[in-house]
């Protein structure tokens, strides 16, 4: 029997605390499963980003939604589900641990997409949400031989502090990687990207910025 056959659409978003509106968000508890083909099971809960506290113990996912007409259901709680795009579903499958829960912030699920006022407010807070996460995870999509070669070239160049040049053999795979939809998002080159560089890329951010200036744009 399909485990989702008795599930009902999730429409039970609790209100974000009015008195803590600027720092009130929801987080997703991604439940573990050793079966990689099992339905993704999650729990949603409210959380407050306290000013001046620094980082918080959650991971923020940066990704591209993908085709809104191609969706997969994930379980929220015991009997409800939310439909997410295939690209997000693939990312959650990769994030799901075999043994331990993971606490993540994912805009498509943690923001009530039926509440325009909430969406507008949460979008304004994205710099804060990404900036205070313990880690930012960038999902570019499923790996390929070309993307593996591209990342190897990036790693090699980032470790070489003398040269700013790319090996010719790696140039085409890197340019192909930069054609992925994530790099086309306007805010990638804005303030949020500064946080992504600082948290997700660390010492490689200098070289990664150079990649963004290549002909892929």
């Amino acid at each position: 029997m399909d485990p989702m056959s008795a599930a009902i659409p999730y429409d039970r978003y609790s209100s974000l605390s009015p008195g803590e509106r600027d720092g009130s968000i929801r987080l997703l508890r991604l439940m573990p499963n050793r079966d990689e083909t099992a339905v993704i099971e999650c729990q949603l809960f409210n959380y407050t980003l306290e000013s001046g506290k620094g980082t918080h113990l959650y991971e923020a996912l940066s990704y591209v939604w993908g085709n809104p007409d191609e969706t997969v259901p994930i379980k929220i709680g015991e009997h409800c589900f939310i439909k997410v795009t295939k690209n997000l579903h693939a990312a959650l499958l990769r994030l799901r641990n075999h043994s331990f829960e993971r606490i993540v912030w994912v805009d498509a699920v943690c923001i009530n997409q039926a509440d325009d006022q909430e969406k507008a407010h949460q979008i304004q807070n994205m710099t804060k949400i990404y900036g205070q996460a313990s880690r930012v995870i960038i999902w570019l999509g499923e790996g390929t031989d070309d993307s593996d070669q591209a990342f190897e070239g990036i790693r090699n160049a980032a470790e070489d502090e003398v040269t700013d040049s790319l090996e010719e053999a790696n140039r085409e795979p890197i340019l192909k990687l930069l054609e992925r939809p994530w790099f086309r998002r306007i805010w990638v080159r804005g303030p949020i990207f500064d946080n992504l560089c600082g948290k997700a890329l660390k010492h490689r951010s200098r070289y990664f910025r150079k990649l963004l200036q290549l002909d892929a744009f």
Side-chain angles (χ1 to χ4, degrees):
M1 180 179 177
D2 183 352
M4 301 300 294
S5 61
I8 59 176
Y10 186 81
D11 59 359
R12 302 175 185 176
Y13 279 98
S14 56
S15 298
L16 296 177
S17 304
E20 302 169 344
R21 189 90 178 164
D22 287 342
S24 187
I25 63 173
R26 295 185 193 87
L27 293 175
L28 190 71
R29 181 179 289 110
L30 183 58
M31 307 306 292
N33 201 311
R34 293 185 178 277
D35 182 357
E36 295 183 359
T37 65
V39 172
I40 290 176
E41 299 185 25
C42 309
Q43 298 171 358
L44 272 174
F45 62 95
N46 288 13
Y47 186 81
T48 300
L49 296 175
E50 298 177 13
S51 299
K53 187 177 179 180
T55 59
H56 297 253
L57 295 179
Y58 68 89
E59 300 167 303
L61 179 65
S62 178
Y63 68 106
V64 174
W65 281 33
N67 189 339
D69 295 324
E70 297 180 357
T71 60
V72 181
I74 64 172
K75 285 188 69 175
I76 304 293
E78 291 294 325
H79 305 294
C80 298
F81 73 89
I82 288 178
K83 290 183 178 181
V84 300
T85 61
K86 283 187 175 181
N87 191 50
L88 175 53
H89 185 261
L92 292 175
L93 282 176
R94 288 301 185 98
L95 287 175
R96 181 169 62 183
N97 192 278
H98 288 173
S99 305
F100 301 102
E101 300 174 356
R102 291 184 81 160
I103 305 299
V104 296
W105 184 85
V106 183
D107 60 351
V109 181
C110 294
I111 299 175
N112 183 355
Q113 300 299 320
D115 185 335
D116 290 338
Q117 184 177 0
E118 180 181 304
K119 281 197 297 184
H121 187 271
Q122 293 286 292
I123 288 172
Q124 291 176 357
N125 276 341
M126 278 194 176
T127 298
K128 183 176 182 180
I129 292 170
Y130 282 109
Q132 294 192 15
S134 63
R135 183 167 67 157
V136 174
I137 300 170
I138 299 173
W139 173 253
L140 300 180
E142 296 288 359
T144 64
D145 290 342
D146 280 349
S147 65
D148 291 343
Q149 182 180 350
F151 278 114
E152 185 62 28
I154 292 171
R155 280 191 290 269
N156 291 339
E159 291 167 1
D160 186 346
E161 297 181 358
V162 177
T163 179
D164 286 330
S165 63
L166 288 171
E167 293 183 11
E168 192 61 35
N170 292 327
R171 185 177 180 85
E172 185 174 345
I174 290 174
L175 290 175
K176 189 173 181 180
L177 178 71
L178 292 176
E179 291 174 354
R180 293 200 178 198
W182 186 86
F183 293 97
R184 301 285 179 176
R185 304 182 74 175
I186 297 299
W187 59 260
V188 166
R189 286 170 282 177
I192 295 178
F193 179 69
D194 291 337
N195 282 317
L196 295 181
C197 277
K199 291 185 177 297
L201 304 170
K202 297 184 179 177
H203 66 284
R204 296 172 186 161
S205 62
R206 174 186 63 83
Y207 190 76
F208 197 80
R209 287 180 181 279
K210 292 182 182 296
L211 295 180
L212 294 179
Q213 299 171 7
L214 292 176
D215 294 339
F217 284 105

